[in-house]
């Protein structure tokens, strides 16, 4: 209940101030919180040390501060979803390689868009929905039903349809059979089975195996895509990468999208494809570490 009222207050303030003023207020609050968020700061520092073992204390601290500031800007953008329309997209969002998504959908097997807790993945989803793509996003339900309804209303009011994690597998398979698009976040596992252990920045980490498993079972390609913030007041770049191939170079087996058959897959296939997804996420996280919002200890060690 308390968190729900905090979010609603945040939405009230963010939606009534000009964007620059809303960002400024959010950054002030972020900087105050930074001095008291001891556990988060330790976790972020540890994560960044793994990614950048040669950076000094000052460089790591700078990334941590900017990460916190970018995260609250992400929340401001989320609270202001009601202002998002075609004019906003033309003015603030540059879309790169969208033809990759069109080419995959032309194959008829649907598509899995894989992203990370990087930049503004929520905004990327609603922008894609606003552009007319049939998009579903798998989301972890919040513990509070009121908070969950609030978040889902923000998403669904702009055309993004939500599938709760835990009830997603069969729904995802049916959506892909209809040649539609599923958005999944691939850098943190929230399932009860613990995910799959893969190499990530040279250490073992548990990543969700759902994206690879669904892709291999249905033949739906995985396209990595990321919504990256440009300079603070210069909008975003949404970039689509080429479909992921198995670690080793081969493509996942495709099948007719109209088929009711679901192919059985082995753990090794799932691991290889998840590792290939991890390589793309590593590239973006290393390039934009101040936009990777990972406040928990990440690696298995």
């Amino acid at each position: 209940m308390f968190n729900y009222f905090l979010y609603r207050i945040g939405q009230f303030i963010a939606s009534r101030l000009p964007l620059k003023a809303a960002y400024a207020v959010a950054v002030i609050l972020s900087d105050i919180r930074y001095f008291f968020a001891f556990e988060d700061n330790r976790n972020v520092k540890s994560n960044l040390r793994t990614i950048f073992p040669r950076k000094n204390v000052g460089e790591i601290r700078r990334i941590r501060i900017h990460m916190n500031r970018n995260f609250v800007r992400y929340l401001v953008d989320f609270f202001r979803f009601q202002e998002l329309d075609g004019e906003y997209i033309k003015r603030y969002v540059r879309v790169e390689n969208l033809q990759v998504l069109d080419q995959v959908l032309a194959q008829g097997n649907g598509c899995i868009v894989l992203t990370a807790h990087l930049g503004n993945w929520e905004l990327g989803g609603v922008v894609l929905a606003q552009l007319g793509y049939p998009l579903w996003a798998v989301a972890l339900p919040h513990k509070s039903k009121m908070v969950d309804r609030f978040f889902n209303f923000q998403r669904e009011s702009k055309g993004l349809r939500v599938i709760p994690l835990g009830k997603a597998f069969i729904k995802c398979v049916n959506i892909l059979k209809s040649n539609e698009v599923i958005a999944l976040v691939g850098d943190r596992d929230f399932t009860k089975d613990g995910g799959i252990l893969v190499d990530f920045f040279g250490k073992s980490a548990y990543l969700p195996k759902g994206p690879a498993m669904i892709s291999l079972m249905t033949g739906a390609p995985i396209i990595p895509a990321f919504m990256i913030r440009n300079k603070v007041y210069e909008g975003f770049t949404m970039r689509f990468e080429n479909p992921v191939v198995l670690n080793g170079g081969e493509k996942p087996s495709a099948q007719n999208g109209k088929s009711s058959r679901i192919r059985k897959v082995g753990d090794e296939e799932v691991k290889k494809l998840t590792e290939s997804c991890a390589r793309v996420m590593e590239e973006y996280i290393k390039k934009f570490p101040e936009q990777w919002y990972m406040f928990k200890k990440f690696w298995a060690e």
Side-chain angles (χ1 to χ4, degrees):
M1 181 73 74
F2 178 70
N3 285 342
Y4 171 76
F5 286 113
L6 280 180
Y7 286 129
R8 292 310 297 262
I9 291 169
Q11 183 188 38
F12 178 85
I13 296 171
S15 61
R16 280 157 179 78
L17 291 176
L19 180 60
K20 288 186 178 181
Y23 278 169
V25 171
V27 166
I28 290 170
L29 295 174
S30 171
D31 287 352
I32 293 171
R33 180 186 178 276
Y34 176 84
F35 289 102
F36 300 97
F38 304 113
E39 183 176 355
D40 283 359
N41 287 337
R42 282 195 300 270
N43 292 340
V44 171
K45 181 179 178 180
S46 175
N47 292 342
L48 291 174
R49 281 289 183 202
T50 299
I51 300 171
F52 302 109
R54 296 184 179 181
K55 286 190 181 296
N56 61 40
V57 173
E59 291 173 311
I60 295 294
R61 182 176 181 272
R62 182 192 61 80
I63 295 173
R64 286 160 53 199
I65 291 172
H66 284 287
M67 179 194 297
N68 280 274
R69 291 175 177 177
N70 281 327
F71 180 70
V72 294
R73 292 182 184 117
Y74 146 81
L75 289 175
V76 169
D77 296 329
F78 182 79
F79 293 148
R80 294 168 64 96
F81 269 6
Q82 300 309 312
E83 299 181 15
L84 195 152
D85 55 17
E87 184 60 33
Y88 176 95
I89 295 171
K90 284 192 291 185
R91 184 175 180 182
Y92 293 108
V93 181
R94 181 170 71 247
V95 182
E96 296 181 351
N97 293 343
L98 186 59
Q99 72 275 6
V100 175
L101 178 58
D102 294 328
Q103 291 165 2
V104 164
L105 290 176
Q107 299 172 11
N109 289 313
C111 179
I112 298 169
V113 171
L114 183 75
T115 191
H117 292 90
L118 185 79
N120 196 325
W121 64 98
E122 297 273 10
L123 182 60
V126 297
V127 165
L128 200 56
Q130 287 285 296
L131 290 175
Y133 289 87
L135 182 65
W136 300 75
V138 177
L140 178 71
H142 291 264
K143 293 180 181 179
S144 165
K145 291 185 178 180
M146 295 176 70
V147 172
D148 199 52
R149 284 195 295 267
F150 169 73
F151 271 74
N152 287 340
F153 175 80
Q154 289 291 98
R155 297 158 176 154
E156 292 173 343
S157 66
K158 291 300 172 182
L160 177 63
R161 290 166 288 185
V162 179
I163 309 169
L165 184 69
K167 303 178 180 178
F169 181 77
I170 297 300
K171 183 73 172 177
C172 287
V173 170
N174 291 331
I175 289 167
L176 294 171
K177 286 180 183 177
S178 299
N179 199 32
E180 297 187 356
V181 184
I182 294 169
L184 298 172
V185 180
D187 62 340
R188 187 175 173 193
D189 183 71
F190 293 101
T191 62
K192 294 179 180 179
D193 62 11
I196 190 164
L197 196 63
V198 300
D199 177 85
F200 202 71
F201 286 106
K203 284 189 174 184
S204 296
Y206 286 99
L207 296 184
K209 57 187 177 183
M213 185 174 291
I214 295 172
S215 173
L216 291 165
M217 286 181 169
T218 64
I222 297 175
I223 295 179
F226 304 91
M227 184 73 146
I228 301 300
R229 182 182 297 280
N230 302 328
K231 292 183 180 179
V232 175
Y233 302 113
E234 295 183 10
F236 300 84
T237 296
M238 182 163 63
R239 180 175 178 82
F240 293 84
E241 296 292 338
N242 290 326
V244 176
V245 298
L246 288 170
N247 189 11
E250 68 270 29
K251 293 183 179 180
S253 300
Q255 61 187 48
N256 188 330
K258 296 181 181 180
S259 173
S260 61
R261 296 176 61 189
I262 298 177
R263 187 169 75 89
K264 290 185 177 180
V265 297
D267 290 342
E268 191 60 30
E269 282 183 290
V270 173
K271 183 179 178 69
K272 284 184 177 181
L273 188 53
T274 304
E275 286 176 338
S276 296
C277 294
R279 299 294 80 80
V280 183
M281 290 189 288
E282 282 177 341
E283 179 183 344
Y284 274 83
I285 291 168
K286 194 163 188 175
K287 189 173 182 180
F288 305 102
E290 70 284 350
Q291 297 191 45
W292 188 44
Y293 312 126
M294 190 58 60
F295 297 100
K296 302 292 184 183
K297 284 188 176 180
F298 185 78
W299 279 270
E301 293 93 325

